[in-house]
Amino acid sequence: MNHGYAQDAEHGKTIFKACAACHATDHANRVGPGLGGIIGRKAGAVPGFRYSNAMKTFGMVWDAKILDAYLASPQKVVPGNRMPYAGLKNATDRADLVAYLATLK
Ligand code: HEC
């Protein structure tokens, strides 16, 4: 268990349950695109997934910082994107979630 300030990917995995309804942890597309290899991947770039124009033209490569901002407030960071998720307000939970996302290959 990790009780310090370090990010806790194990905790992040439990938070990911809120995402798992739409996202696979590998490269399979469901309601949302597969999140395998999300860190370092260009936004809106999974072949065969029908992204919104907003996501297709976002133009950023997902890193921990941009993911954190996006998950805090998806519509603020990518206005007009079609992900039906209001945002995760707790910064510690978000950091843990992003740490977990970084383990997905
Ligand atoms: C109800 C379904 C749903 C939920 C819940 C959901 N997403 Fe999404 N997500 C989507 C859809 C749909 C898109 C594509 C949005 C677009 O094209 O505008 C998306 C896009 C994304 C992207 C961009 C992927 C890329 O290839 O550029 C990331 C990252 C992401 N979601 C992470 C998450 C995380 C982490 C959670 C949990 C906190 C989550 N999502 C919850 C449906 C969902």
Side-chain angles (χ1 to χ4, degrees), residues 9-32:
E10 270 306 306
H11 181 227
K13 188 175 181 174
T14 68
I15 297 166
F16 187 79
K17 287 180 183 149
C19 322
C22 300
H23 289 286
T25 54
D26 58 14
H27 295 263
N29 294 329
R30 291 188 188 153
V31 175

Side-chain angles (χ1 to χ4, degrees), residues 1-84:
M1 276 292 273
N2 188 336
H3 298 286
Y5 344 81
Q7 294 160 6
D8 184 347
E10 270 306 306
H11 181 227
K13 188 175 181 174
T14 68
I15 297 166
F16 187 79
K17 287 180 183 149
C19 322
C22 300
H23 289 286
T25 54
D26 58 14
H27 295 263
N29 294 329
R30 291 188 188 153
V31 175
L35 294 181
I38 186 66
I39 299 263
R41 191 168 94 192
K42 193 167 186 284
V46 170
F49 186 81
R50 288 196 54 190
Y51 290 98
S52 62
N53 277 328
M55 190 60 80
K56 272 193 289 204
T57 57
F58 181 44
M60 304 289 277
V61 170
W62 293 115
D63 63 14
K65 201 173 164 192
I66 301 166
L67 273 173
D68 181 78
Y70 176 66
L71 295 173
S73 184
Q75 286 304 327
K76 205 164 140 191
V77 173
V78 186
N81 89 86
R82 276 197 283 100
M83 174 159 125

